Amino acid sequence: MSSDESAVFAGYRPLGYVSNHIPCITRYIQRRKEHLIVTVTGKSFHTYGSNKLGILSVSKQHPEDITALSADTNLVITSAANNIYLWKRGTELRGILKGHEHPVHLILPFAHKI
């Protein structure tokens, strides 16, 4: 890095290298007193801690590329093809919602409903 370049966001540069076109989401975890940043990287998603932008977890592989990403207070919600996946802590698969006729591209959680 040359002396005339800003180093303000230098620690956040790796996030831009691994994320794709799907917008990242943030979640605040009261117990950790930290925001978590969740971003999609093809067939999996990564969770970063915002304090030092350290990677906290990498999800298991989905059968196809992830097409949508969302979250509520307890779960990270992803979709791949016609299925919606519910994740706890970014690595524990809690459920799969099947039966959609078309690929899911938008997930809007509302309270405890999707």
Side-chain angles (χ1 to χ4, degrees), residues 10 13 32 48 74-75 88:
R13 189 172 297 138
R32 295 177 62 97
Y48 294 88
N74 297 315
L75 299 171
K88 184 81 170 178

Side-chain angles (χ1 to χ4, degrees), residues 7-59:
V8 173
F9 297 108
Y12 297 90
R13 189 172 297 138
L15 185 58
Y17 290 140
V18 298
S19 61
N20 65 6
H21 66 283
I22 297 172
C24 66
I25 58 170
T26 60
R27 301 177 61 211
Y28 183 73
I29 307 299
Q30 183 70 35
R31 183 178 51 86
R32 295 177 62 97
K33 300 200 182 323
E34 178 179 32
H35 283 87
L36 301 184
I37 301 166
V38 182
T39 185
V40 175
T41 58
K43 293 183 179 184
S44 64
F45 61 90
H46 295 181
T47 305
Y48 294 88
S50 65
N51 289 347
K52 296 189 179 186
L53 201 64
I55 191 160
L56 301 175
S57 67
V58 176
S59 73

